[in-house]
Amino acid sequence: MATNYLTLSFLLICLLPLASASNPNHQKHHPKHIPAIYVFGDSLYDSGNGIHIHPDAPAKSLPYGIDFGGKPTGRSTNGKTVVDYIAILLGLPFVPPYLGLTDHQRDIIKTGINYATEGSGILPETCTSCFTLDNQIEAFNRTVENNLSKMFKNQAQSKTHLSRSLFVVNVGVHDYGQQSQRGSQDPGTYALRLLTEFSLRLQRLYSIGARKILVNNIPPAGCFPRAAASMKPRGKCDENKNRMITLYNRRLPTLLHQLKSQLPGFVPVHADFYKFLLEMRRNANKYGILYIWEPCCPNNVDGDFTCHPNSVPCKDRNTHLFFDAHPTQITNDIFVRRCFNESTICRPLSLKQLVET
Ligand SMILES: *[C@@H]1O[C@H](CO)[C@@H](O)[C@H](O)[C@H]1NC(C)=O
Ligand SMILES: *[C@@H]1O[C@H](CO)[C@@H](O)[C@H](O)[C@H]1NC(C)=O
Ligand SMILES: *[C@@H]1O[C@H](CO)[C@@H](O)[C@H](O)[C@H]1NC(C)=O
């Protein structure tokens, strides 16, 4: 009897996240307290907004999505994103892209919406043909004002829903891209400007109702495939590029700490995505990853490093840290596991602790 009960519980615990993931509108109760995930930022988190703006975006075609049931969705990787793994851990459905929803869907979805869009930066001018971070926050505000308010009996309930929800943000690497507005600005001055602008946007999210928020720092773009390929020896990181990003990253925890002390109830958690990727380069073997800079797509390092529609990717995606310029799903999976369990990657609270606060 006891054994059967345990087996049944085990099965239920294992199957529930999958069941809900395959049915985006399925509502259910879960022992964890997080009712929804709201997502902001760029392609690391985009689950399909970008392809509504850029119908020719590579992520619309295979091999993107080759390990997502063989279905391209606009995710910039072979399989699941960081946000997908977080959703599974929390027993929530995959978070649907805002631009893919009908008005009716916007009125009934209570488990979160994804506003993140490929190419977006902190500064609006970083990507003018994008659904910018400002656009994303405006759209979220409309969701709260027009749609969410109708799903709850009163404003207090809607506020409670938001305060229990998890907010996740990944943005900033495009502000350091080739066409960035940095121009001739001193790197330190530019980093401070980005932090000031980012702080304003976090405060806007707070004013709309965000409380629990997981904020990634900027990844080491100097170690991305294209950058690493042009170094001598090949595969080494471009330290100049990383150093500029570090100027921003070093101050981000302080900014979050300040916001926490100024905004009652605000619980920002800093996710050290930068350190995570550098550690993965060093300890890749431990996870069965053999290629730390060579992308899986294209599956050679002599071309233009663009993963074109119907490019043939590497056979074993789990042996690559990078799918294209973005992490493979195995890298995303390991990042989420470490953030969930270890307060060295996600601080001052692990994701597990944040969920339980
Ligand atoms: C829900 O939101 C959408 C877009 O923001 C809006 O067009 C629609 O009218 C809203 N639904 C209702 C019933 O107001
Ligand atoms: C959200 O929308 C409301 C109503 O239009 C507006 O008063 C408020 O300033 C907006 N908040 C933000 C942060 O944009
Ligand atoms: C966290 O660590 C525990 C104990 O080591 C482990 O059982 C669990 O699977 C880990 N959780 C995740 C999401 O990796």
Side-chain angles (χ1 to χ4, degrees):
M1 189 64 189
T3 314
N4 281 344
Y5 176 74
L6 280 176
T7 310
L8 183 63
S9 313
F10 176 75
L11 280 173
L12 281 174
I13 288 163
C14 292
L15 293 176
L16 272 176
L18 289 174
S20 60
S22 62
N23 179 357
N25 297 325
H26 185 75
Q27 299 276 326
K28 62 176 180 48
H29 293 285
H30 194 269
K32 298 262 164 57
H33 318 293
I34 305 282
I37 306 176
Y38 293 96
V39 185
F40 301 86
D42 60 26
S43 53
L44 187 79
Y45 283 1
D46 190 350
S47 62
N49 289 308
I51 59 174
H52 283 273
I53 301 175
H54 306 119
D56 304 331
K60 199 178 185 174
S61 312
L62 284 171
Y64 292 92
I66 188 171
D67 299 310
F68 199 87
K71 202 167 57 57
T73 55
R75 286 169 169 78
S76 291
T77 183
N78 57 308
K80 299 185 192 79
T81 65
V82 165
V83 181
D84 294 330
Y85 284 110
I86 294 177
I88 291 172
L89 275 180
L90 302 186
L92 287 167
F94 290 151
V95 189
Y98 175 78
L99 296 178
L101 296 174
T102 62
D103 277 355
H104 175 65
Q105 286 171 319
R106 283 174 192 172
D107 276 335
I108 56 171
I109 292 178
K110 273 189 186 176
T111 50
I113 294 180
N114 186 342
Y115 303 87
T117 307
E118 51 146 340
S120 294
I122 293 168
L123 304 177
E125 60 266 32
T126 287
C127 183
T128 47
S129 62
C130 284
F131 193 52
T132 65
L133 184 59
D134 286 337
N135 298 150
Q136 296 172 28
I137 296 171
E138 284 157 16
F140 169 60
N141 196 26
R142 285 197 300 274
T143 301
V144 174
E145 300 263 329
N146 302 336
N147 305 111
L148 221 46
S149 62
K150 278 188 227 113
M151 291 178 226
F152 296 95
K153 279 202 213 85
N154 51 48
Q155 219 196 355
Q157 281 194 7
S158 166
K159 288 274 170 220
T160 303
H161 164 85
L162 292 173
S163 70
R164 287 188 181 150
S165 296
L166 179 67
F167 288 73
V168 293
V169 187
N170 180 81
V171 74
V173 76
H174 292 295
D175 297 290
Y176 283 96
Q178 240 133 40
Q179 281 95 39
S180 80
Q181 306 300 306
R182 192 166 45 79
S184 56
Q185 251 183 57
D186 162 70
T189 311
Y190 185 67
L192 285 180
R193 178 169 161 230
L194 289 181
L195 288 158
T196 306
E197 295 293 322
F198 188 43
S199 172
L200 289 173
R201 277 134 190 111
L202 290 175
Q203 290 172 58
R204 237 170 261 161
L205 285 174
Y206 175 87
S207 77
I208 303 171
R211 294 296 178 268
K212 300 179 177 196
I213 185 162
L214 184 70
V215 179
N216 282 4
N217 63 3
I218 302 180
C223 308
F224 286 6
R226 200 190 301 253
S230 64
M231 297 304 290
K232 284 196 178 102
R234 271 194 125 187
K236 200 172 148 288
C237 298
D238 178 344
E239 294 303 340
N240 281 332
K241 199 164 201 150
N242 284 353
R243 215 170 290 129
M244 281 197 288
I245 289 172
T246 302
L247 290 173
Y248 171 96
N249 281 348
R250 237 192 342 239
R251 290 173 185 265
L252 182 62
T254 314
L255 167 66
L256 296 178
H257 187 75
Q258 277 167 356
L259 288 175
K260 181 177 159 61
S261 60
Q262 286 160 9
L263 306 172
F266 198 44
V267 195
V269 165
H270 175 257
D272 201 340
F273 192 43
Y274 184 97
K275 176 171 128 182
F276 165 77
L277 281 177
L278 287 190
E279 281 185 8
M280 285 298 288
R281 279 174 60 90
R282 283 196 297 272
N283 303 326
N285 287 346
K286 185 174 146 191
Y287 300 98
I289 291 173
L290 309 174
Y291 304 96
I292 59 171
W293 67 273
E294 302 92 329
C296 170
C297 183
N299 191 16
N300 73 70
V301 291
D302 300 315
D304 65 357
F305 285 88
T306 304
C307 181
H308 293 287
N310 301 313
S311 287
V312 178
C314 63
K315 279 219 175 60
D316 190 353
R317 268 79 65 187
N318 289 342
T319 59
H320 285 255
L321 192 58
F322 289 98
F323 180 64
D324 56 351
H326 303 88
T328 47
Q329 77 163 358
I330 188 172
T331 307
N332 292 335
D333 187 8
I334 297 165
F335 175 61
V336 171
R337 284 175 188 283
R338 293 201 56 195
C339 173
F340 193 75
N341 261 345
E342 297 174 29
S343 52
T344 54
I345 294 295
C346 288
R347 275 208 280 209
L349 304 178
S350 68
L351 180 53
K352 185 166 189 281
Q353 290 167 327
L354 177 64
V355 163
E356 284 162 3
T357 52

